[in-house]
Amino acid sequence: MYGRATNHFKWIPPGEIEMENQMCEVVLLETSDLHGVVLPRSYADQSAIGQGLARIASIVREMRQINPQTLLIDNGDCLQGTPLTYYHAKVNDTAANPVVACMNALSYDAAVLGNHEFNYGMPYLRGAVEASSFPWLSANTMDAETGAPLFGKPYIVREMPNGLRIGVLGLTTSYIPNWEHPQHIKGIQFGDAVEAARQWVNRLRREERADVVIVSYHGGFERDPITGDATEP
């Protein structure tokens, strides 16, 4: 999935004269629920499937050639889901994390914590985060003792060559304690996503001077955004 955002803006850098009106096109590439799929082949029978990081790699390279002002974000649930990830997590982790290695090679700008990131426990997740050349974002996934976001800043800010500043904030469903093994999330607090967004979007706009703010949320709507009708229990 990808989106293209065009923004007309006027920005006055500190101590400088006002910039002329400009048009800046930024391409947003987003992956979600990769679930450890690297090659576009089924683990069951080796039949072709239309997904996987190898297929994504071609799209990413093509889009970056068309427009260098491209951001690549993963929206969660990438570390778990195939025999490959299970083998690395439970049998032999001496080699590099296969999913993280691929994402590093693709130069992801950031990844958002999904609920399945916790399936193999915190030591495994921390190892994946430490091996990543990109930050992992989630404003409402916090250290229970300090209240601070679990892996540092829950956002990134990218400045385009013409001065346009783009902020990306990560959020994660707070329903994880209802699914995950308690031992895997010990010492972690999952706060309300909307309240966290209010706090951190305001900070991005005021303190970080972000002209555009992107919220990347791993979770469900729960209600139809138009009618308000419940879509799930």
Side-chain angles (χ1 to χ4, degrees):
M1 177 185 296
Y2 74 90
R4 181 174 283 122
T6 303
N7 185 50
H8 294 271
F9 69 99
K10 187 176 287 185
W11 178 58
I12 306 176
E16 296 185 16
I17 62 173
E18 182 177 296
M19 296 174 63
E20 296 181 357
N21 285 333
Q22 298 183 40
M23 184 176 72
C24 175
E25 184 177 75
V26 177
V27 176
L28 309 175
L29 299 178
E30 178 255 340
T31 56
S32 188
D33 296 86
L34 290 169
H35 284 293
V37 179
V38 176
L39 298 177
R41 296 283 177 181
S42 167
Y43 281 91
D45 57 11
Q46 290 300 299
S47 60
I49 57 176
Q51 60 196 59
L53 281 164
R55 289 177 61 90
I56 292 167
S58 300
I59 299 171
V60 170
R61 293 191 187 100
E62 179 182 356
M63 297 305 297
R64 282 175 173 160
Q65 288 177 355
I66 296 173
N67 190 337
Q69 297 183 149
T70 296
L71 294 178
L72 176 59
I73 306 162
D74 184 77
N75 194 53
D77 284 1
C78 66
L79 296 179
Q80 173 274 353
T82 61
L84 173 65
T85 60
Y86 181 88
Y87 182 86
H88 185 265
K90 297 294 187 179
V91 181
N92 187 350
D93 65 353
T94 55
N97 186 301
V99 176
V100 170
C102 290
M103 294 174 71
N104 285 344
L106 286 172
S107 299
Y108 269 76
D109 289 283
V112 176
L113 291 172
N115 51 291
H116 284 287
E117 256 65 72
F118 297 90
N119 286 174
Y120 297 138
M122 278 305 297
Y124 188 81
L125 176 54
R126 288 190 184 280
V129 171
E130 291 171 2
S132 301
S133 59
F134 49 87
W136 287 75
L137 314 176
S138 184
N140 64 317
T141 305
M142 302 165 289
D143 183 294
E145 291 187 5
T146 66
L150 194 59
F151 295 120
K153 274 187 179 179
Y155 63 83
I156 59 170
V157 177
R158 293 287 182 265
E159 185 168 316
M160 300 296 105
N162 60 2
L164 177 70
R165 292 174 63 81
I166 299 177
V168 180
L169 176 70
L171 294 169
T172 305
T173 174
S174 61
Y175 209 70
I176 291 175
N178 295 279
W179 299 317
E180 191 55 69
H181 194 293
Q183 185 177 350
H184 291 170
I185 54 174
K186 185 178 180 180
I188 302 174
Q189 177 184 351
F190 297 93
D192 182 83
V194 176
E195 291 301 320
R198 288 194 179 104
Q199 172 189 346
W200 289 96
V201 168
N202 183 60
R203 179 169 174 174
L204 275 163
R205 287 174 173 161
R206 292 190 176 185
E207 297 182 21
E208 298 286 0
R209 298 179 294 110
D211 299 293
V212 178
V213 175
I214 300 163
V215 176
S216 188
Y217 169 56
H218 187 92
F221 280 120
E222 299 176 0
R223 293 181 178 274
D224 186 294
I226 297 176
T227 66
D229 295 336
T231 57
E232 58 186 287

